[in-house]
Amino acid sequence: VKTEYVLGDKVRLIKIVLNGFSESVEINDNTYSNNMPAHDYMTDQQIADVLTYVRNSFGNKAPYVTAAQVKAVRAANKKK
């Protein structure tokens, strides 16, 4: 709720959904170390919808994530 981690960098969130996440992360003085598998099978629109929902629910208010933004991150991700 209302954390910079969710409300901030869209690219970081998109990469987490595409690549999964297994690192420890500190958010608001709490450390979290949960594993999340990659969800790269989801469409660009589905990822945009999920991230927009999270960024605008639970008391959050942040700009939408678009399918075009997800598509750009996905394309850059494949080049690595």
Side-chain angles (χ1 to χ4, degrees):
V1 175
K2 298 181 182 178
T3 67
E4 180 59 29
Y5 207 84
V6 170
L7 301 178
D9 187 7
K10 293 178 191 179
V11 172
R12 175 179 57 202
L13 289 179
I14 294 167
K15 285 181 179 180
I16 289 171
V17 174
L18 289 172
N19 301 324
F21 194 78
S22 61
E23 301 171 19
S24 292
V25 63
E26 187 173 317
I27 301 172
N28 294 349
D29 298 323
N30 293 307
T31 300
Y32 300 91
S33 60
N34 299 315
N35 289 324
M36 184 181 115
H39 287 74
D40 57 345
Y41 58 86
M42 294 172 66
T43 68
D44 296 340
Q45 187 63 58
Q46 288 171 327
I47 292 172
D49 290 346
V50 167
L51 292 178
T52 294
Y53 174 79
V54 170
R55 288 168 55 88
N56 286 282
S57 297
F58 318 109
N60 294 326
K61 186 73 173 159
Y64 291 175
V65 176
T66 67
Q69 291 168 324
V70 176
K71 182 178 182 175
V73 173
R74 189 188 300 266
N77 209 34
K78 286 183 179 179
K79 293 178 183 177
K80 292 182 178 181

